[in-house]
Amino acid sequence: MTLPADIDLDIWAKVQDIFADSLGFDTDEVEFQSKIIGDLEAESLDFLDIAFKLERTFNIQIPRGGIEKAARDSVEGDGLNTDGTLTIAALEKLKVAMPEVPPSEFSPGLKPTDVPELFRVGTFYYLVINLKASA
């Protein structure tokens, strides 16, 4: 498994354990780049369980819908095209907010409801890091 060079191994181990426990995997099956929905087959209730465990473990508050909302709110207007897809500016903001996702996955036509499909375990690792840093 390849991890970012600057990863905090203690925080990563806790995030990895939470995902493994919540989704019924062995710890070594939960990788930084694992897609939460596609690879680990998480469902909406699983997300709530994971968020609760991360909040309790790290003493943080995870905003619901925060990643895609932050991207839309940080661009002019609401970040949406008239057809309900994310604007190019919103896609660029998501690329910055989610460096663990390959840039090619932020393609035109992406809707806000599609964003959770992009989430990796690493997405939640970075969320924890960022929330702890801003606390």
Side-chain angles (χ1 to χ4, degrees), residues 20-68:
D21 180 59
S22 295
L23 299 173
F25 285 91
D26 290 335
T27 303
D28 62 347
E29 295 176 293
V30 176
E31 298 184 3
F32 194 82
Q33 283 296 323
S34 295
K35 287 185 175 184
I36 297 170
I37 294 173
D39 297 331
L40 303 178
E41 301 176 358
E43 298 177 357
S44 57
L45 286 177
D46 297 319
F47 277 95
L48 293 174
D49 180 48
I50 290 164
F52 174 75
K53 289 177 180 177
L54 290 171
E55 289 174 338
R56 193 174 60 205
T57 300
F58 295 104
N59 196 29
I60 57 174
Q61 180 65 42
I62 298 174
R64 304 302 178 245
I67 294 174
E68 63 269 23

Short mmCIF file of all heavy atoms in Angstrom, two decimals, residues 20-68:
data_model
loop_
_atom_site.label_atom_id
_atom_site.label_comp_id
_atom_site.label_asym_id
_atom_site.label_seq_id
_atom_site.Cartn_x
_atom_site.Cartn_y
_atom_site.Cartn_z
N ALA A 20 -12.17 -0.28 8.81
CA ALA A 20 -12.17 -1.75 8.84
C ALA A 20 -13.27 -2.26 9.77
O ALA A 20 -14.04 -3.15 9.41
CB ALA A 20 -10.80 -2.26 9.27
N ASP A 21 -13.34 -1.69 10.96
CA ASP A 21 -14.34 -2.11 11.95
C ASP A 21 -15.76 -1.83 11.45
O ASP A 21 -16.64 -2.69 11.56
CB ASP A 21 -14.09 -1.38 13.27
CG ASP A 21 -15.09 -1.78 14.34
OD1 ASP A 21 -15.17 -2.98 14.67
OD2 ASP A 21 -15.79 -0.88 14.83
N SER A 22 -15.99 -0.65 10.90
CA SER A 22 -17.33 -0.27 10.47
C SER A 22 -17.82 -1.05 9.26
O SER A 22 -19.03 -1.28 9.12
CB SER A 22 -17.36 1.23 10.14
OG SER A 22 -17.12 1.99 11.30
N LEU A 23 -16.90 -1.46 8.40
CA LEU A 23 -17.30 -2.09 7.15
C LEU A 23 -17.01 -3.59 7.09
O LEU A 23 -17.24 -4.23 6.06
CB LEU A 23 -16.64 -1.36 5.97
CG LEU A 23 -17.02 0.12 5.85
CD1 LEU A 23 -16.20 0.79 4.77
CD2 LEU A 23 -18.51 0.29 5.60
N GLY A 24 -16.46 -4.14 8.17
CA GLY A 24 -16.23 -5.57 8.23
C GLY A 24 -15.05 -6.08 7.42
O GLY A 24 -15.09 -7.18 6.88
N PHE A 25 -13.99 -5.28 7.34
CA PHE A 25 -12.79 -5.67 6.63
C PHE A 25 -11.64 -5.86 7.61
O PHE A 25 -11.66 -5.33 8.72
CB PHE A 25 -12.38 -4.58 5.62
CG PHE A 25 -13.24 -4.54 4.39
CD1 PHE A 25 -14.37 -3.73 4.34
CD2 PHE A 25 -12.92 -5.30 3.28
CE1 PHE A 25 -15.17 -3.68 3.22
CE2 PHE A 25 -13.71 -5.25 2.15
CZ PHE A 25 -14.84 -4.45 2.12
N ASP A 26 -10.63 -6.61 7.18
CA ASP A 26 -9.38 -6.65 7.92
C ASP A 26 -8.68 -5.32 7.67
O ASP A 26 -8.82 -4.73 6.59
CB ASP A 26 -8.48 -7.79 7.44
CG ASP A 26 -9.04 -9.16 7.83
OD1 ASP A 26 -9.80 -9.24 8.82
OD2 ASP A 26 -8.69 -10.13 7.14
N THR A 27 -7.92 -4.87 8.64
CA THR A 27 -7.24 -3.57 8.52
C THR A 27 -6.40 -3.49 7.25
O THR A 27 -6.42 -2.47 6.56
CB THR A 27 -6.38 -3.30 9.76
OG1 THR A 27 -7.22 -3.37 10.91
CG2 THR A 27 -5.75 -1.93 9.71
N ASP A 28 -5.68 -4.56 6.92
CA ASP A 28 -4.81 -4.50 5.74
C ASP A 28 -5.57 -4.46 4.42
O ASP A 28 -5.00 -4.20 3.37
CB ASP A 28 -3.80 -5.65 5.74
CG ASP A 28 -4.45 -7.02 5.67
OD1 ASP A 28 -5.67 -7.13 5.85
OD2 ASP A 28 -3.71 -7.99 5.41
N GLU A 29 -6.89 -4.66 4.46
CA GLU A 29 -7.71 -4.56 3.25
C GLU A 29 -8.18 -3.12 3.00
O GLU A 29 -8.70 -2.82 1.92
CB GLU A 29 -8.93 -5.47 3.36
CG GLU A 29 -8.61 -6.95 3.40
CD GLU A 29 -9.85 -7.79 3.60
OE1 GLU A 29 -10.45 -7.71 4.70
OE2 GLU A 29 -10.20 -8.52 2.66
N VAL A 30 -8.02 -2.27 3.98
CA VAL A 30 -8.44 -0.87 3.87
C VAL A 30 -7.21 -0.05 3.52
O VAL A 30 -6.34 0.17 4.35
CB VAL A 30 -9.09 -0.37 5.19
CG1 VAL A 30 -9.44 1.10 5.10
CG2 VAL A 30 -10.31 -1.21 5.54
N GLU A 31 -7.18 0.40 2.26
CA GLU A 31 -6.03 1.17 1.78
C GLU A 31 -6.39 2.64 1.65
O GLU A 31 -7.55 3.01 1.56
CB GLU A 31 -5.56 0.60 0.44
CG GLU A 31 -5.10 -0.83 0.56
CD GLU A 31 -4.52 -1.37 -0.73
OE1 GLU A 31 -4.43 -0.62 -1.73
OE2 GLU A 31 -4.16 -2.56 -0.74
N PHE A 32 -5.37 3.46 1.62
CA PHE A 32 -5.55 4.91 1.51
C PHE A 32 -6.38 5.26 0.28
O PHE A 32 -7.24 6.13 0.32
CB PHE A 32 -4.17 5.59 1.44
CG PHE A 32 -4.21 7.07 1.67
CD1 PHE A 32 -4.25 7.59 2.95
CD2 PHE A 32 -4.20 7.95 0.60
CE1 PHE A 32 -4.29 8.96 3.17
CE2 PHE A 32 -4.23 9.32 0.80
CZ PHE A 32 -4.28 9.82 2.10
N GLN A 33 -6.14 4.57 -0.83
CA GLN A 33 -6.83 4.86 -2.09
C GLN A 33 -8.12 4.05 -2.28
O GLN A 33 -8.76 4.17 -3.32
CB GLN A 33 -5.89 4.60 -3.27
CG GLN A 33 -4.87 5.69 -3.49
CD GLN A 33 -5.53 7.01 -3.87
OE1 GLN A 33 -6.51 7.07 -4.59
NE2 GLN A 33 -4.98 8.10 -3.36
N SER A 34 -8.52 3.24 -1.31
CA SER A 34 -9.77 2.47 -1.45
C SER A 34 -10.96 3.41 -1.61
O SER A 34 -11.14 4.33 -0.80
CB SER A 34 -10.01 1.59 -0.22
OG SER A 34 -9.03 0.61 -0.07
N LYS A 35 -11.75 3.18 -2.66
CA LYS A 35 -12.99 3.94 -2.83
C LYS A 35 -13.99 3.41 -1.80
O LYS A 35 -14.22 2.21 -1.71
CB LYS A 35 -13.56 3.77 -4.23
CG LYS A 35 -12.78 4.50 -5.29
CD LYS A 35 -13.51 4.38 -6.62
CE LYS A 35 -12.81 5.20 -7.67
NZ LYS A 35 -13.57 5.16 -8.95
N ILE A 36 -14.56 4.33 -1.05
CA ILE A 36 -15.41 3.92 0.06
C ILE A 36 -16.67 3.21 -0.43
O ILE A 36 -17.06 2.19 0.15
CB ILE A 36 -15.76 5.13 0.95
CG1 ILE A 36 -14.47 5.68 1.56
CG2 ILE A 36 -16.76 4.75 2.03
CD1 ILE A 36 -14.65 6.99 2.26
N ILE A 37 -17.27 3.70 -1.50
CA ILE A 37 -18.47 3.07 -2.02
C ILE A 37 -18.11 1.94 -2.98
O ILE A 37 -18.58 0.82 -2.85
CB ILE A 37 -19.40 4.11 -2.68
CG1 ILE A 37 -19.92 5.09 -1.63
CG2 ILE A 37 -20.55 3.42 -3.42
CD1 ILE A 37 -20.71 6.26 -2.18
N GLY A 38 -17.25 2.22 -3.95
CA GLY A 38 -16.93 1.25 -4.99
C GLY A 38 -16.14 0.05 -4.51
O GLY A 38 -16.43 -1.09 -4.88
N ASP A 39 -15.12 0.28 -3.68
CA ASP A 39 -14.26 -0.82 -3.23
C ASP A 39 -14.71 -1.43 -1.91
O ASP A 39 -14.65 -2.64 -1.73
CB ASP A 39 -12.81 -0.34 -3.06
CG ASP A 39 -12.19 0.14 -4.36
OD1 ASP A 39 -12.57 -0.37 -5.43
OD2 ASP A 39 -11.30 1.02 -4.30
N LEU A 40 -15.14 -0.59 -0.98
CA LEU A 40 -15.49 -1.06 0.36
C LEU A 40 -17.00 -1.24 0.55
O LEU A 40 -17.44 -1.66 1.62
CB LEU A 40 -14.92 -0.12 1.42
CG LEU A 40 -13.40 0.08 1.36
CD1 LEU A 40 -12.94 1.08 2.42
CD2 LEU A 40 -12.66 -1.24 1.50
N GLU A 41 -17.77 -0.90 -0.47
CA GLU A 41 -19.22 -1.11 -0.50
C GLU A 41 -19.97 -0.47 0.65
O GLU A 41 -20.96 -1.00 1.17
CB GLU A 41 -19.53 -2.61 -0.59
CG GLU A 41 -18.91 -3.26 -1.81
CD GLU A 41 -19.11 -4.76 -1.87
OE1 GLU A 41 -19.71 -5.35 -0.95
OE2 GLU A 41 -18.67 -5.34 -2.88
N ALA A 42 -19.52 0.71 1.06
CA ALA A 42 -20.20 1.44 2.13
C ALA A 42 -21.54 1.98 1.65
O ALA A 42 -21.70 2.33 0.48
CB ALA A 42 -19.33 2.59 2.63
N GLU A 43 -22.49 2.03 2.57
CA GLU A 43 -23.81 2.60 2.30
C GLU A 43 -24.00 3.81 3.20
O GLU A 43 -23.18 4.09 4.07
CB GLU A 43 -24.88 1.54 2.54
CG GLU A 43 -24.73 0.35 1.60
CD GLU A 43 -25.73 -0.76 1.87
OE1 GLU A 43 -26.53 -0.65 2.83
OE2 GLU A 43 -25.70 -1.74 1.12
N SER A 44 -25.12 4.51 3.04
CA SER A 44 -25.31 5.76 3.77
C SER A 44 -25.25 5.57 5.28
O SER A 44 -24.68 6.41 5.98
CB SER A 44 -26.62 6.43 3.37
OG SER A 44 -27.71 5.56 3.57
N LEU A 45 -25.79 4.49 5.80
CA LEU A 45 -25.70 4.25 7.25
C LEU A 45 -24.26 4.02 7.69
O LEU A 45 -23.88 4.40 8.80
CB LEU A 45 -26.57 3.07 7.67
CG LEU A 45 -28.07 3.32 7.68
CD1 LEU A 45 -28.83 2.05 8.04
CD2 LEU A 45 -28.43 4.45 8.63
N ASP A 46 -23.48 3.40 6.83
CA ASP A 46 -22.06 3.20 7.14
C ASP A 46 -21.34 4.55 7.27
O ASP A 46 -20.50 4.73 8.15
CB ASP A 46 -21.36 2.36 6.06
CG ASP A 46 -21.94 0.95 5.96
OD1 ASP A 46 -22.21 0.34 7.01
OD2 ASP A 46 -22.10 0.48 4.82
N PHE A 47 -21.68 5.49 6.39
CA PHE A 47 -21.06 6.82 6.46
C PHE A 47 -21.36 7.48 7.80
O PHE A 47 -20.50 8.11 8.40
CB PHE A 47 -21.56 7.72 5.32
CG PHE A 47 -20.82 7.52 4.03
CD1 PHE A 47 -21.31 6.67 3.06
CD2 PHE A 47 -19.64 8.20 3.78
CE1 PHE A 47 -20.65 6.49 1.87
CE2 PHE A 47 -18.96 8.03 2.59
CZ PHE A 47 -19.46 7.16 1.63
N LEU A 48 -22.59 7.34 8.27
CA LEU A 48 -22.96 7.92 9.56
C LEU A 48 -22.17 7.28 10.70
O LEU A 48 -21.68 7.97 11.60
CB LEU A 48 -24.46 7.78 9.81
CG LEU A 48 -25.38 8.58 8.90
CD1 LEU A 48 -26.84 8.21 9.15
CD2 LEU A 48 -25.15 10.07 9.08
N ASP A 49 -22.03 5.96 10.66
CA ASP A 49 -21.28 5.24 11.68
C ASP A 49 -19.81 5.67 11.66
O ASP A 49 -19.22 5.94 12.71
CB ASP A 49 -21.40 3.73 11.43
CG ASP A 49 -20.65 2.90 12.45
OD1 ASP A 49 -20.81 3.16 13.67
OD2 ASP A 49 -19.92 1.96 12.05
N ILE A 50 -19.24 5.75 10.48
CA ILE A 50 -17.84 6.14 10.34
C ILE A 50 -17.63 7.57 10.83
O ILE A 50 -16.69 7.85 11.59
CB ILE A 50 -17.37 5.97 8.88
CG1 ILE A 50 -17.29 4.48 8.53
CG2 ILE A 50 -16.04 6.67 8.63
CD1 ILE A 50 -17.22 4.18 7.05
N ALA A 51 -18.52 8.47 10.42
CA ALA A 51 -18.41 9.87 10.86
C ALA A 51 -18.50 9.97 12.37
O ALA A 51 -17.71 10.69 13.01
CB ALA A 51 -19.49 10.72 10.20
N PHE A 52 -19.43 9.24 12.98
CA PHE A 52 -19.58 9.25 14.43
C PHE A 52 -18.30 8.76 15.11
O PHE A 52 -17.82 9.38 16.07
CB PHE A 52 -20.78 8.39 14.85
CG PHE A 52 -20.92 8.25 16.33
CD1 PHE A 52 -21.41 9.29 17.11
CD2 PHE A 52 -20.55 7.07 16.98
CE1 PHE A 52 -21.53 9.16 18.48
CE2 PHE A 52 -20.67 6.94 18.35
CZ PHE A 52 -21.16 7.99 19.10
N LYS A 53 -17.75 7.66 14.63
CA LYS A 53 -16.53 7.11 15.24
C LYS A 53 -15.33 8.04 15.05
O LYS A 53 -14.52 8.19 15.97
CB LYS A 53 -16.23 5.73 14.65
CG LYS A 53 -17.20 4.66 15.12
CD LYS A 53 -16.92 3.33 14.46
CE LYS A 53 -17.89 2.27 14.94
NZ LYS A 53 -17.69 0.98 14.25
N LEU A 54 -15.23 8.67 13.89
CA LEU A 54 -14.12 9.62 13.67
C LEU A 54 -14.27 10.82 14.59
O LEU A 54 -13.29 11.29 15.18
CB LEU A 54 -14.08 10.07 12.21
CG LEU A 54 -13.65 9.03 11.18
CD1 LEU A 54 -13.88 9.55 9.77
CD2 LEU A 54 -12.19 8.64 11.38
N GLU A 55 -15.50 11.33 14.71
CA GLU A 55 -15.74 12.48 15.60
C GLU A 55 -15.38 12.14 17.04
O GLU A 55 -14.73 12.94 17.72
CB GLU A 55 -17.21 12.92 15.50
CG GLU A 55 -17.55 13.58 14.19
CD GLU A 55 -19.03 13.89 14.03
OE1 GLU A 55 -19.87 13.25 14.71
OE2 GLU A 55 -19.35 14.77 13.22
N ARG A 56 -15.79 10.98 17.48
CA ARG A 56 -15.53 10.58 18.87
C ARG A 56 -14.03 10.32 19.09
O ARG A 56 -13.46 10.73 20.10
CB ARG A 56 -16.35 9.34 19.20
CG ARG A 56 -16.38 9.03 20.68
CD ARG A 56 -17.30 7.89 21.00
NE ARG A 56 -16.82 6.70 20.29
CZ ARG A 56 -17.57 5.68 19.95
NH1 ARG A 56 -18.83 5.66 20.23
NH2 ARG A 56 -17.05 4.65 19.32
N THR A 57 -13.40 9.65 18.15
CA THR A 57 -11.98 9.30 18.29
C THR A 57 -11.08 10.54 18.28
O THR A 57 -10.13 10.62 19.06
CB THR A 57 -11.55 8.34 17.17
OG1 THR A 57 -12.35 7.15 17.26
CG2 THR A 57 -10.08 7.98 17.26
N PHE A 58 -11.39 11.48 17.39
CA PHE A 58 -10.50 12.63 17.21
C PHE A 58 -11.04 13.92 17.82
O PHE A 58 -10.41 14.98 17.67
CB PHE A 58 -10.22 12.83 15.72
CG PHE A 58 -9.46 11.69 15.11
CD1 PHE A 58 -10.10 10.76 14.30
CD2 PHE A 58 -8.11 11.52 15.37
CE1 PHE A 58 -9.40 9.70 13.73
CE2 PHE A 58 -7.39 10.46 14.82
CZ PHE A 58 -8.05 9.55 14.00
N ASN A 59 -12.20 13.85 18.47
CA ASN A 59 -12.81 15.04 19.08
C ASN A 59 -12.97 16.17 18.06
O ASN A 59 -12.50 17.29 18.27
CB ASN A 59 -12.00 15.50 20.30
CG ASN A 59 -12.80 16.46 21.16
OD1 ASN A 59 -14.03 16.40 21.20
ND2 ASN A 59 -12.10 17.36 21.83
N ILE A 60 -13.62 15.82 16.95
CA ILE A 60 -13.87 16.78 15.88
C ILE A 60 -15.35 16.75 15.54
O ILE A 60 -16.07 15.85 15.97
CB ILE A 60 -13.04 16.45 14.61
CG1 ILE A 60 -13.34 15.02 14.13
CG2 ILE A 60 -11.54 16.66 14.86
CD1 ILE A 60 -12.70 14.65 12.81
N GLN A 61 -15.80 17.71 14.73
CA GLN A 61 -17.17 17.74 14.22
C GLN A 61 -17.10 17.74 12.70
O GLN A 61 -16.56 18.69 12.11
CB GLN A 61 -17.91 18.99 14.73
CG GLN A 61 -19.33 19.09 14.25
CD GLN A 61 -20.22 17.98 14.77
OE1 GLN A 61 -20.15 17.61 15.94
NE2 GLN A 61 -21.07 17.45 13.92
N ILE A 62 -17.59 16.69 12.08
CA ILE A 62 -17.57 16.58 10.62
C ILE A 62 -18.86 17.18 10.07
O ILE A 62 -19.95 16.71 10.38
CB ILE A 62 -17.43 15.11 10.18
CG1 ILE A 62 -16.11 14.53 10.69
CG2 ILE A 62 -17.55 15.00 8.66
CD1 ILE A 62 -15.92 13.05 10.43
N PRO A 63 -18.72 18.22 9.24
CA PRO A 63 -19.92 18.82 8.66
C PRO A 63 -20.55 17.87 7.65
O PRO A 63 -19.83 17.27 6.85
CB PRO A 63 -19.41 20.10 7.99
CG PRO A 63 -17.95 19.88 7.79
CD PRO A 63 -17.50 18.89 8.83
N ARG A 64 -21.84 17.70 7.69
CA ARG A 64 -22.52 16.80 6.76
C ARG A 64 -22.55 17.47 5.38
O ARG A 64 -22.93 18.63 5.25
CB ARG A 64 -23.94 16.50 7.22
CG ARG A 64 -24.01 15.89 8.62
CD ARG A 64 -23.21 14.60 8.75
NE ARG A 64 -23.25 14.07 10.10
CZ ARG A 64 -22.21 13.96 10.90
NH1 ARG A 64 -21.03 14.35 10.51
NH2 ARG A 64 -22.33 13.46 12.11
N GLY A 65 -22.15 16.74 4.36
CA GLY A 65 -22.10 17.27 3.01
C GLY A 65 -21.04 18.33 2.82
O GLY A 65 -21.11 19.12 1.90
N GLY A 66 -20.06 18.36 3.70
CA GLY A 66 -19.10 19.45 3.75
C GLY A 66 -18.16 19.58 2.58
O GLY A 66 -17.83 20.69 2.18
N ILE A 67 -17.69 18.48 2.02
CA ILE A 67 -16.67 18.59 0.98
C ILE A 67 -17.24 19.22 -0.28
O ILE A 67 -16.71 20.21 -0.79
CB ILE A 67 -16.04 17.21 0.68
CG1 ILE A 67 -15.26 16.73 1.91
CG2 ILE A 67 -15.13 17.27 -0.54
CD1 ILE A 67 -14.73 15.32 1.80
N GLU A 68 -18.33 18.65 -0.82
CA GLU A 68 -18.87 19.22 -2.05
C GLU A 68 -19.49 20.59 -1.81
O GLU A 68 -19.42 21.47 -2.67
CB GLU A 68 -19.85 18.28 -2.74
CG GLU A 68 -21.10 17.94 -1.96
CD GLU A 68 -20.97 16.69 -1.11
OE1 GLU A 68 -19.86 16.30 -0.74
OE2 GLU A 68 -22.01 16.11 -0.78
#
